[in-house]
Every structure is written in structure tokens, then in C-alpha cells.
Amino acid sequence: MALDRRRLLGAGAALGAALAAPRLAEAQNRRVLRFIPQADLGVLDPIWTAGYVTRNHGLLVFDTLYGTDSQMRAQPQMVEGHRVEDAGHTWILTLREGLLFHDGQPVLARDCVASIQRWGRRDSFGQSLLAATDELRADDDRTIRFRLKKPFPLLAHALGKAGSNICAIMPQRLAETDPFRQVTEMVGSGPFRFLAEERVAGARTVYARFDRYQPRQEGIADFTAGPKRAHFDRIEWHVLPDTATAAAAMQSGEMDWWENPSFDLLPLLRRQRALEVSLQDRSGYIGNMRFNQLQPPFNNPALRRAILRAVRQEDFMQAIAGDNQDSWTAGVGFFCPGTPMATDAGLSAMAGPRDMAAARREVASSGYAGERVVLPVPNDFPILKAMGEVGADLLKQVGLNVDVQATDWGSLLQRLAKTEPVEEGGWSVFHTYWSGLDQLNPAVHAYLRANGRAGGRGWPTSPQLESLRAAWLDAGDEAEQKRIAVAMQEQALQDVPYVPLGQMLVPVVRRRNLQDMLSGFSLFWNIRRA
């Protein structure tokens, strides 16, 4: 009897373990968030590139001195606060106590100074801040001091900007890397750690909750401001460039969140009771045809103007989102529609029916001499692939010698850094998009910088645009800012640093058991499973 009893107890224990195993697996699964990003994470350094995949990764790993709330106001994040002295010529920032990097080292003011200096070499807003700065130093371990040449009231907004490039705070030893050379060691102080050993290029990126992260204690989570509370132990990014595969993974429950679903699959996904389709970022995304102005043929402004007048924004938007005009807007200028700086000034140049015969004559009269136009198109990024195909067709129709080169998004980001001629691996034109919040105004609008090689990919030069931008930063009120914004758009229509291609309103798809997702782009704190 004793033996039989022991066997019975053993069998009971085994049965209990078997019953507990699914519950344990379910509990573990609840602590993992599986996400389908818009493309693979080809570049890790959020200072080296403005790519949104890299920015979203950067905000997981790195923290910022300030955040931005949903009203576009700067709020203290890593800083406890600041004070402004000497009639706006001195800003003194104080770090919160207890901030740690992922390697266990404390975050010190000198780390922040080096990070600001590196970011300020690459970001257009950062360049303006550093140009206005006489001295930037660490007074002690927690105190950062800006001594300015002139007041810069948008200082906190610059350090807390949510759009690319974010001012990511990293250890001094990493921040002292040449800003034109990539940092590959990911040591930040953000709410999640990057798990380099689990990274599979083209397939998977993984993050783990940083259990020593200290969220702000006050305020509420609002966009990139407020407490960053991580409710998942593990975030997995799974790259699924085939949209049918991604849709199937969402329907089966294999994935939790799809950042950039294909528009043609939205009706199917909306019919799934376990899924929710919602618009998180109402500023949308604004398509851009960006020219390389260092090299022929697009160093010729007459040719750029001819292309601009041949563009029909509806063609690009319909290729992406179809005929559903709830998903896109045409008639878009150089500032985000529906925001204070938006204007229709000068847009008649892009309105009305297209006369392709006249466009070909204008291209010929511009002096275009048949130079090869290299247009890279990322096949793993459906939206950019659609824009690239429409753009290539347009450029061929107006008489350009177009060489379409298929690539992937990560490789394209690497290639866009090249300033050499196309014969040496360079590029001529590419298609991308910017979040509307990155085209709100001249301070954050990287593609309206026209400071040549010091600027972003494309490297346009226009003293007139630069002068207007400086005047906007110094403007005393919104009315004056709006007047300058009108002048900037009119000048941009002459210089054509890029061609606006319309505004997309891209929803996300998520499982209904995910709650408290923050508005805006993909943010991984605050969100939890119901």
C-alpha cells in the first residue's frame, strides 16, 4: 500500500506539473511583446541616421534629457529641471539622481555634454543650438551649463525633440565617437536593454526590460514625456517584409503589433475580432522625392523645378493607399497639413493636370545631358517600394536616363551617406517619408536645411533658405513665424530641396488585449496586456 501511495503521489505531482506548464508558458508569453517593425533595423546608431526604425530603437535603449508631450511641449525627462539666467543667455540643467547606464555606471553631466555635442553635429535643430552656444560644460556630476551667444528659448525643445534625430544620451566614451562614424555598442540608460547576442540581421531584434531604470515619479505618460514604465520583460521585433505573412501572423496571434500594415489588407484585418486597427499618429507621414544636389544631374535647379512641376501627388498616394482618401491627402506643401506653419502659398506650381510633353521639353531645356540617374528602391519596405516605382516611371516619362537599383532598407541607409558620383557607388534620387511632426516648422524640418555638406542626405545649398530659417528661429511671435514660413515655402519651390509627394495616414494593427498604447509613433513603455 505504501508503494502504491508513493506512485499515486508521484503521478499526481507529474499531472500537476503538466497542468502548470501551459499556465507558466502563458504567463511568460504575457510578458513578451512581439512587434513587426516597418523594416529591418539596419543601423543601430540614432545619431548617425534619421531613419525611423533606428529612432524607435533608440528610444527603447537611450533616454533623453527632455521629452515631448502630445501638445508638442518640452517636459523634463532625465533632468530634474532647469533654470534660465542672464536674460536668457545661461541655462543650467540639473540631472535627476540615481540615473544609471545599462552597464551599471552612473549617468554624469559629462556624458550628457559629449552626447549633446555629437548629436548637434548631425541634427538640424542641434546644429542651430550649438551655433548659438558659446560654451557647453559640466559644472559637476549632475549640472550641465549652456552659456549662449544669444537667447535660444527653444533649447529644451531641441534637446527633447521626438523626431529624428533624437538627442540620445550615451556614455562619454561612446559619445566621443566621430558623429559621421557609427556607434555599434548599444549602452544607454533607457527602459530597455539591447540584446546584441540575440540580434539576427534581417530577421529579429530583441530587448529586455532594464530593471534598474528609474521612471520619473511625477506626471503621466504622454508621447515621449512623463514616466516610462515598462510592463513587458521582453520586446521582440520580427522582420516580416512579406505583407501576407505579416497579416497571417497577426490573425493567428503569433504577433501582437504591426507598425506599417499594407493598406490593401486593412479590410481583412478589420474583420478580425481579436485585432484593432487604429490611427495612432494623426500627423501622418509625408512622402518626399529627395535629390542628391552634390552631383549631376540634380545639382541643376532648373531640372529640379521641371521635375516638381511634373509630379502629381495623387499618383504616389494612390500607389500606396489606393483610392480611399481617408488614408491620404494631396496638395501638400513643405509643412505638415493642418499645423500652424502649413500654407498653400505657391502650390499652384504643383496643381492642375500634367502635360508630359511640356515636361519633357522643360527637362530638355534645363540642360539635362542624359546623365545616368541612379534611383535605389528598397524591396523590403512596401511603402517606399511603391513610391520608388511611381517616381522611376515619372522620371523616365520626362526623359531621364533612369537606373533603378533594387536594395533593402538597411543597405539603402548605408548608401545614402555616400557623396561620391554614381560611378563610385553614389546615388541620384530616392524616395522616403518623414513624420508630420518632423515637418511641423523650420526648427525641426531637416529637409529644409540648405547648408550644403553640413546638412542631411541630399546636401542642398541655399543661402536664402538658411537666412529665412534663422529669421524664423529669432521671430518674436507666431504671426511673424507664419509670415516667414510662407516665404520659406515660396523659396523652396524655387530651390526644390525635395518634392513633397502627399501625406499618408497610416494606421497600426494590434491585438485588442494590448491597452494604454501611447499616441504618436511606436513607443514601448506604458503599453500593457489586459
Side-chain angles (χ1 to χ4, degrees):
M1 284 291 293
L3 181 60
D4 290 343
R5 185 170 180 271
R6 286 195 297 270
R7 287 175 177 170
L8 179 60
L9 290 173
L15 177 61
L19 291 173
R23 290 198 298 270
L24 178 61
E26 181 182 358
Q28 290 173 337
N29 185 60
R30 289 177 62 82
R31 296 196 295 268
V32 177
L33 179 65
R34 296 178 175 88
F35 172 74
I36 307 172
Q38 59 185 248
D40 184 36
L41 179 65
V43 175
L44 298 177
D45 186 350
I47 305 303
W48 190 84
T49 181
Y52 289 144
V53 175
T54 303
R55 177 207 55 196
N56 297 349
H57 147 85
L59 285 169
L60 275 160
V61 176
F62 301 98
D63 215 343
T64 55
L65 294 171
Y66 293 84
T68 298
D69 67 20
S70 56
Q71 303 302 309
M72 297 299 123
R73 297 172 299 202
Q75 302 288 358
Q77 187 58 40
M78 294 177 73
V79 297
E80 188 176 89
H82 67 255
R83 65 181 189 271
V84 181
E85 300 177 347
D86 189 23
H89 285 77
T90 300
W91 284 59
I92 301 169
L93 285 55
T94 304
L95 290 173
R96 290 193 282 129
E97 291 185 344
L99 299 177
L100 293 174
F101 286 115
H102 298 158
D103 60 6
Q105 296 299 308
V107 177
L108 303 177
R110 62 176 179 264
D111 299 307
C112 301
V113 167
S115 297
I116 294 167
Q117 290 171 333
R118 184 170 188 265
W119 160 80
R121 292 274 307 281
R122 297 302 302 264
D123 180 73
S124 60
F125 207 171
Q127 289 169 353
S128 298
L129 172 57
L130 292 189
T133 299
D134 221 7
E135 182 184 28
L136 170 59
R137 71 169 192 255
D139 285 350
D140 54 43
D141 285 350
R142 292 180 55 212
T143 308
I144 304 161
R145 180 182 296 266
F146 283 86
R147 188 163 56 83
L148 303 172
K149 299 172 185 175
K150 61 179 181 179
F152 197 91
L154 295 176
L155 186 148
H157 290 80
L159 297 179
K161 69 190 289 276
S164 297
N165 305 76
I166 60 166
C167 184
I169 301 302
M170 53 186 66
Q172 182 180 10
R173 64 183 177 83
L174 298 179
E176 289 179 343
T177 303
D178 184 326
F180 293 90
R181 183 166 63 85
Q182 294 183 50
V183 167
T184 57
E185 183 186 354
M186 295 290 100
V187 179
S189 64
F192 291 91
R193 296 181 295 110
F194 175 71
L195 301 184
E197 68 278 8
E198 295 197 42
R199 163 87 170 125
V200 179
R204 187 184 67 199
T205 306
V206 183
Y207 307 86
R209 183 171 62 87
F210 180 38
D211 56 10
R212 301 180 72 184
Y213 180 75
Q214 296 188 20
R216 293 193 68 83
Q217 295 304 305
E218 65 276 8
I220 60 171
D222 183 18
F223 198 26
T224 65
K228 296 180 178 179
R229 295 193 172 94
H231 298 293
F232 288 94
D233 292 338
R234 183 177 169 93
I235 306 289
E236 296 180 358
W237 288 16
H238 294 268
V239 181
L240 301 175
D242 179 75
T243 57
T245 301
M250 290 298 301
Q251 293 175 83
S252 69
E254 185 181 347
M255 293 292 149
D256 295 306
W257 179 4
W258 188 4
E259 183 179 30
N260 273 85
S262 175
F263 282 95
D264 63 333
L265 291 172
L266 291 179
L268 168 68
L269 295 167
R270 286 192 172 104
R271 292 196 295 269
Q272 308 302 308
R273 295 182 61 182
L275 301 180
E276 182 170 342
V277 179
S278 60
L279 183 64
Q280 293 298 119
D281 185 356
R282 297 191 176 276
S283 70
Y285 295 104
I286 299 173
N288 297 244
M289 179 187 289
R290 180 69 160 178
F291 305 108
N292 181 347
Q293 297 190 33
L294 293 181
Q295 302 292 343
F298 293 118
N299 59 348
N300 176 357
L303 177 60
R304 299 195 302 270
R305 286 192 291 270
I307 301 304
L308 178 139
R309 285 189 278 269
V311 164
R312 184 174 180 271
Q313 291 185 354
E314 290 86 348
D315 293 341
F316 289 86
M317 294 297 100
Q318 286 171 337
I320 295 164
D323 294 327
N324 183 1
Q325 292 198 26
D326 290 338
S327 299
W328 56 267
T329 302
V332 174
F334 288 84
F335 298 103
C336 180
T339 63
M341 298 303 121
T343 174
D344 60 3
L347 292 185
S348 58
M350 299 179 66
R354 293 292 170 262
D355 183 340
M356 300 309 289
R360 285 191 292 273
R361 290 193 296 271
E362 189 171 357
V363 165
S365 65
S366 74
Y368 174 64
E371 297 97 336
R372 183 162 63 105
V373 171
V374 169
L375 194 168
V377 176
N379 284 334
D380 62 340
F381 205 140
I383 289 175
L384 300 189
K385 182 174 185 290
M387 284 199 291
E389 289 171 347
V390 174
D393 182 65
L394 170 71
L395 296 178
K396 290 175 182 177
Q397 286 189 58
V398 298
L400 272 62
N401 174 20
V402 181
D403 178 6
V404 177
Q405 297 189 2
T407 185
D408 61 85
W409 180 233
S411 298
L412 177 55
L413 286 176
Q414 304 281 351
R415 184 171 191 173
L416 294 179
K418 291 181 175 291
T419 59
E420 294 83 5
V422 295
E423 293 79 13
E424 299 175 26
W427 57 277
S428 306
V429 58
F430 78 104
H431 298 78
T432 188
Y433 58 76
W434 286 86
S435 168
L437 68 90
D438 279 322
Q439 297 192 347
L440 287 177
N441 59 54
V444 299
H445 198 325
Y447 272 14
L448 281 183
R449 287 306 308 264
N451 53 342
R453 288 181 180 269
R457 313 323 194 208
W459 309 284
T461 298
S462 170
Q464 296 88 344
L465 273 178
E466 284 293 291
S467 176
L468 287 166
R469 182 177 182 276
W472 190 93
L473 289 169
D474 291 337
D477 56 38
E478 188 172 286
E480 178 68 3
Q481 288 178 333
K482 288 182 177 180
R483 185 193 68 76
I484 296 169
V486 168
M488 286 192 75
Q489 176 154 299
E490 291 173 338
Q491 184 63 45
L493 289 165
Q494 292 300 308
D495 295 327
V496 197
Y498 71 94
V499 178
L501 302 177
Q503 181 192 43
M504 303 166 277
L505 299 174
V506 183
V508 302
V509 179
R510 70 176 188 271
R511 304 203 67 73
R512 288 190 183 275
N513 66 355
L514 294 180
Q515 62 183 26
D516 299 334
M517 180 182 286
L518 295 171
S519 61
F521 51 74
S522 300
L523 300 169
F524 295 87
W525 54 87
N526 207 57
I527 189 170
R528 67 181 78 205
R529 206 181 297 278

